[in-house]
Amino acid sequence: MIDWRLHLVTSGHGPATVRAAAAAAAAGAGIVQVRAKHLLAGELLDLVLSVAGAVAEVAPTTLVIVNDRADVAAALRNQGISGVHVGQDDLDVRVVRELLGPDAIIGLTTGTLELIEAANQHAEVLDYVGCGPFRATPTKDSGRTPLGLQGFAPIVADCAVPVVAIG
């Protein structure tokens, strides 16, 4: 059973990021998503392994997933990495499911009813959607107006998989 209550998305890539991920896991995060878009694949692999090790020490049931990089997630599936969160411009979620297998966690970024309806067409391969922005955030500019609490009601009602608020 996946604990969807708190899903941390990291920023940065140094020891402070590893400590923050472990602290969030210790505080009850069910998922830690490692996001470091600027890193090369090998550097991201090292960061993901560091985060996964630190998280496992304090909260062995917290899942660790990779942001955007299905290749890195695939390389680390046998080392405790549970899956990947992909964006609209990343690999198709059906391809990601084939690459990672039936037990991997796969999330997809959305943020509009139209994107939710498109995601519903692939609900059989998705575990959740990330939807946002909930509020304005300095770490990611989607170009969309923040949804706030009221904006999530129709999205959650229409979505065939769990919805995680982004931002």
Side-chain angles (χ1 to χ4, degrees), residues 26-144:
I31 297 178
V32 170
Q33 181 184 147
V34 182
R35 181 176 189 260
K37 291 185 175 281
H38 62 286
L39 294 183
L40 299 174
E43 296 168 324
L44 179 59
L45 190 137
D46 291 341
L47 174 62
V48 171
L49 286 174
S50 294
V51 167
V55 165
E57 283 183 28
V58 298
T61 61
T62 297
L63 304 177
V64 176
I65 65 173
V66 181
N67 179 265
D68 290 344
R69 298 295 303 265
D71 58 336
V72 173
L76 298 176
R77 283 287 288 140
N78 291 331
Q79 297 184 52
I81 302 310
S82 296
V84 68
H85 179 96
V86 294
Q88 292 291 320
D89 297 326
D90 294 326
L91 286 176
D92 184 286
V93 294
R94 294 166 296 184
V95 173
V96 173
R97 176 59 71 199
E98 285 186 31
L99 179 65
L100 298 183
D103 297 329
I105 302 300
I106 298 175
L108 175 67
T109 298
T110 64
T112 66
L113 279 172
E114 293 78 19
L115 290 175
I116 290 294
E117 290 167 4
N120 283 343
Q121 300 301 309
H122 306 295
E124 75 281 356
V125 298
L126 287 171
D127 293 286
Y128 74 95
V129 296
C131 187
F134 172 74
R135 62 174 174 77
T137 175
T139 59
K140 184 174 185 179
D141 180 10
S142 69
R144 292 187 297 269

